[in-house]
Amino acid sequence: MGLDDITARVRKAEQDAGRAPGSVDLIAISKVQPLERVEDVLKAGHRMFGENKVQEAAGKWPGFRERFDGVTLHLVGPLQTNKARQAIDLFDVIETVDRPKLARTLARLKDELGTCPDLYVQVNTGEEEQKAGVSPDETDALVAECRELGLPVVGLMCIPPFDEEPALHFALLAKIAARNGLEKLSMGMSSDFETAIAQGATSVRVGSAIFGDRVY
């Protein structure tokens, strides 16, 4: 599809949902993409990107940030506690806070370093054993603990089961966010981001539809 096509679809979905123009951010998921493809998207003016792994981001983004101003980088993959310090240095947003131990580690580092990225709690809306994220029933407690620790929790993130109707999961995430006073909703990927926007997404995560098939 390419960046222009996806951006146009995001804007049309905003309009169709009665949302304000530009109210939904497009996060270009650049994991496992060749550097030249990422550079092309940067040269086209896009500045919001997502990575799955701390190590991969560390090898890719410091160099790009020296050359391109205004990059915002989101961590959208699972975060191990032993990578948390490096993640704080690299990322502007961590979307995958999913357990109290990680929250406590981030809080300790925030106090030590005097800084912390914006945080999203990842919710496993389908309660899938193989998938990261806190269960819907335990989300309120984790959000409350993050706030007690002084962490900057701004929203929720989810990845619905691939074989279920995504709208139900997006609606559930929006409901949990509303009752916790959280404004940001990271939900929707290449196959379902228009549905996510209709359900209130404030950011959508699109990878191969922008960059082409991933090169592993």
Side-chain angles (χ1 to χ4, degrees):
M1 291 289 294
L3 178 64
D4 289 345
D5 289 325
I6 296 298
T7 301
R9 284 173 60 189
V10 168
R11 298 297 166 244
K12 183 177 186 307
E14 286 174 341
Q15 185 178 10
D16 291 348
R19 308 275 301 275
S23 59
V24 179
D25 290 325
L26 173 60
I27 304 171
I29 304 299
S30 47
K31 68 172 186 178
V32 204
Q33 290 289 352
L35 295 180
E36 59 268 21
R37 292 185 188 172
V38 181
E39 185 169 345
D40 286 345
V41 174
L42 282 160
K43 285 179 176 175
H46 196 73
R47 289 295 182 269
M48 189 171 290
F49 294 84
E51 290 283 344
N52 260 48
K53 295 183 177 179
V54 174
Q55 204 121 351
E56 184 181 349
K60 183 185 295 181
W61 283 100
F64 279 141
R65 279 185 148 150
E66 287 179 6
R67 298 169 51 210
F68 297 96
D69 291 335
V71 169
T72 302
L73 196 58
H74 291 236
L75 179 64
V76 297
L79 178 58
Q80 300 168 333
T81 52
N82 64 351
K83 302 275 189 190
R85 181 185 295 271
Q86 192 177 14
I88 286 175
D89 289 338
L90 278 168
F91 293 94
D92 303 286
V93 182
I94 294 172
E95 296 198 5
T96 49
V97 178
D98 62 354
R99 59 200 187 280
K101 182 182 178 184
L102 177 57
R104 290 191 290 268
T105 299
L106 290 168
R108 176 176 56 77
L109 290 167
K110 177 185 75 75
D111 293 342
E112 179 185 327
L113 301 171
T115 186
C116 186
D118 282 347
L119 304 176
Y120 289 57
V121 168
Q122 181 176 354
V123 184
N124 186 347
T125 55
E127 301 192 67
E128 300 171 274
E129 287 184 10
Q130 78 282 10
K131 195 173 282 182
V134 64
S135 73
D137 290 345
E138 296 173 345
T139 301
D140 294 1
L142 182 55
V143 170
E145 181 165 354
C146 288
R147 285 173 167 158
E148 287 169 13
L149 291 165
L151 290 171
V153 177
V154 299
L156 302 179
M157 181 267 244
C158 77
I159 306 170
F162 76 93
D163 57 349
E164 294 185 19
E165 171 52 55
L168 300 175
H169 294 270
F170 299 151
L172 173 60
L173 197 74
K175 182 179 176 182
I176 298 170
R179 73 172 180 242
N180 283 283
L182 295 168
E183 296 184 357
K184 302 282 191 180
L185 288 169
S186 174
M187 56 190 196
M189 298 190 286
S190 295
S191 62
D192 56 21
F193 67 82
E194 281 114 337
T195 301
I197 290 170
Q199 294 286 344
T202 57
S203 60
V204 296
R205 310 181 303 272
V206 180
S208 53
I210 293 172
F211 295 102
D213 290 340
R214 295 191 179 99
V215 180
Y216 288 93

